[in-house]
Amino acid sequence: MLQWWVFVHLVGVFGFLISHGVSMYITFELRATRDPKRMVTLLELSASSIRAFYWSLGLLLLGGIAAGFVGHFWTRAWIWAAILILVAVSIAMTRMARPYYRRVGLVARAMSGGSAAVSEDELTPIVRGR
C-alpha cells in the first residue's frame, strides 16, 4: 500500500512540475515580448495551467500525507521539514508572483484594448520589473 501512495505522490509531483514549467516559460516569454496582445494571450495560457497546477498539488499532498500515515513517517523530521519548505516556498512565490502578473496583465489588457495611458517605453520597465 505504501508504494501505491508514493506512486500517487510522484504523479502529483510530475504534474506539478509540468504545470509550473508552463508558468515559468511564460514568465520568460513575457519579458521578451513587447506586443500587448501576445502578452494577454500568454497570461491567459498561464491562467489555464493554474487549474492543473492546483490539482497536481492536491495529488502531491494526498499521496504524500497518505504515505506518511501508511509508512509511519510522522515521527521523522524530514517529513515535517518537507511540508514546512513546501508551505514557505508557496507563500513566498505567491507573494512575489501575484502582484507582478496582475500589474503586467492590467497594462497589457489596457494597451491591447487601445488605451494610450501607458506607452511602449513605459511598458518595458513594468515587464522587466520584479
Side-chain angles (χ1 to χ4, degrees):
M1 188 61 119
L2 176 62
Q3 289 179 342
W4 190 84
W5 284 114
V6 170
F7 176 74
V8 170
H9 177 68
L10 291 175
V11 168
V13 169
F14 187 67
F16 180 86
L17 292 173
I18 289 172
S19 57
H20 192 269
V22 171
S23 293
M24 289 305 302
Y25 172 77
I26 288 170
T27 298
F28 293 119
E29 280 296 307
L30 279 174
R31 292 178 183 274
T33 188
R34 293 296 160 261
D35 179 16
K37 289 183 182 181
R38 177 161 164 72
M39 287 179 177
V40 170
T41 302
L42 288 169
L43 290 169
E44 288 171 354
L45 176 62
S46 179
S48 71
S49 75
I50 293 298
R51 184 174 297 124
F53 174 84
Y54 283 117
W55 276 103
S56 297
L57 179 61
L59 199 59
L60 178 156
L61 289 170
L62 174 69
I65 291 169
F69 282 112
V70 172
H72 306 288
F73 299 130
W74 294 105
T75 58
R76 301 195 181 156
W78 65 263
I79 195 166
W80 292 105
I83 292 169
L84 181 66
I85 290 168
L86 177 66
V87 169
V89 170
S90 296
I91 290 170
M93 294 302 296
T94 299
R95 293 189 65 156
M96 286 188 274
R98 186 170 287 155
Y100 171 78
Y101 282 114
R102 283 185 178 162
R103 186 172 51 250
V104 170
L106 177 70
V107 171
R109 282 189 294 278
M111 288 180 73
S112 68
S115 174
V118 179
S119 70
E120 286 197 33
D121 292 335
E122 295 170 321
L123 177 63
T124 301
I126 293 170
V127 172
R128 292 203 175 147
R130 296 176 54 200

